Amino acid sequence: MTKVLTDARSIRIKGRSFLAVMLSPDLPFDDWLARLDDLAARSAGFFLGRPVVLDLTDLQIDKPQLKELIAELAKRNVSIMGIEGARPSILGSGMPPALKGGRSASDIEVQANEPADSAVKPAVAAEIRPATTQSIVIREPVRSGQSVIFPEGDVTIVGSVASGAEVIAGGSVHIYGALRGRAMAGSIGNASARIFCRKLEAELVAIDGIYKMAEDMAPNLRGQAVQLWLEDDAIMADKLI
């Protein structure tokens, strides 16, 4: 007997873009994983709860090597949501899906502030704006546990960025207060992006994927008004006049 569905309900399927961390490993993996461990140790929670994409473009590895790498990342609580740039022959069942054509998201969600002692801190972002918007201004401090993410352009913070907070911008980052947390400029591939802050006390700064930790920064720049930029794959810094 054939069963006929007379009360079919539609299924709503939507497309949505999310900002993911892109990891581009290099060989030998043991050395690269050691550097990853160093980053995670010096910036606690950096990968916690983040979607991560593995970029294997131009990396000559086989399927067993890829499986071992994914397993090593899983041990470090780094969950791979997808793989980009891999040869089809090294992908298989049980592996993250292949991704192609990643692009920045244009929707930024606004969430109300929670009390400071809330167990779950909200993300701070801007209201939904057209894709042509090139900058946003956050007119309040960014508190510990909060994130400002704007891949479309520059982010300006009228206030300070607390330890444990982060600002991620596709363009440059301007902070008119103390930078005590993390600031990442050029997050989707912009080597000309810069970071400006009124008082440098950062846990981590990054431009176009190149990062520098607090202990790697010149002591004479701590507590100073500073600008940071990328030069020959190294983060440079100088006092603002």
Side-chain angles (χ1 to χ4, degrees):
M1 179 176 177
T2 302
K3 184 176 181 180
V4 179
L5 296 177
T6 58
D7 188 24
R9 296 183 180 180
S10 62
I11 298 176
R12 180 175 295 177
I13 300 175
K14 293 183 177 181
R16 183 164 295 183
S17 297
F18 293 90
L19 185 69
V21 173
M22 179 75 79
L23 283 179
S24 300
D26 50 49
L27 296 171
F29 285 148
D30 287 345
D31 291 347
W32 181 81
L33 287 167
R35 298 199 303 272
L36 188 72
D37 290 340
D38 181 61
L39 170 61
R42 294 194 286 167
S43 185
F46 186 82
F47 294 105
L48 187 62
R50 292 178 182 273
V52 177
V53 174
L54 202 58
D55 179 16
L56 302 182
T57 304
D58 299 326
L59 196 62
Q60 299 301 314
I61 60 173
D62 55 25
K63 185 179 290 188
Q65 286 176 299
L66 177 56
K67 286 184 175 180
E68 183 178 356
L69 175 61
I70 293 172
E72 288 295 329
L73 290 170
K75 291 178 184 177
R76 294 161 170 81
N77 295 317
V78 179
S79 299
I80 305 301
M81 64 169 286
I83 299 174
E84 187 174 42
R87 304 188 310 278
S89 59
I90 70 172
L91 300 176
S93 177
M95 289 190 183
L99 299 179
K100 186 178 181 180
R103 61 184 179 83
S104 62
S106 59
D107 286 347
I108 302 294
E109 181 183 356
V110 120
Q111 297 186 22
N113 288 331
E114 296 283 340
D117 58 352
S118 173
V120 180
K121 299 293 194 303
V124 174
E127 60 193 64
I128 295 175
R129 296 167 181 264
T132 55
T133 300
Q134 297 299 311
S135 65
I136 59 169
V137 178
I138 306 298
R139 295 179 174 85
E140 58 185 15
V142 186
R143 299 179 178 86
S144 180
Q146 296 180 321
S147 297
V148 175
I149 303 174
F150 188 71
E152 288 86 349
D154 296 354
V155 173
T156 298
I157 308 294
V158 184
S160 296
V161 177
S163 176
E166 65 183 2
V167 179
I168 303 175
S172 296
V173 175
H174 307 258
I175 300 171
Y176 291 95
L179 169 56
R180 299 187 177 96
R182 300 185 288 261
M184 288 165 263
S187 64
I188 57 173
N190 182 357
S192 64
R194 296 196 173 209
I195 297 172
F196 303 86
C197 65
R198 187 65 62 97
K199 188 177 182 180
L200 179 66
E201 297 177 351
E203 299 169 339
L204 176 147
V205 294
I207 300 175
D208 193 25
I210 306 297
Y211 73 90
K212 181 174 284 192
M213 307 295 296
E215 53 266 41
D216 301 325
M217 300 176 196
N220 65 310
L221 297 178
R222 301 291 295 181
Q224 302 297 314
V226 170
Q227 66 167 320
L228 303 103
W229 68 95
L230 202 59
E231 187 174 302
D232 297 328
D233 289 333
I235 292 180
M236 311 298 291
D238 198 5
K239 296 179 184 178
L240 288 169
I241 299 175

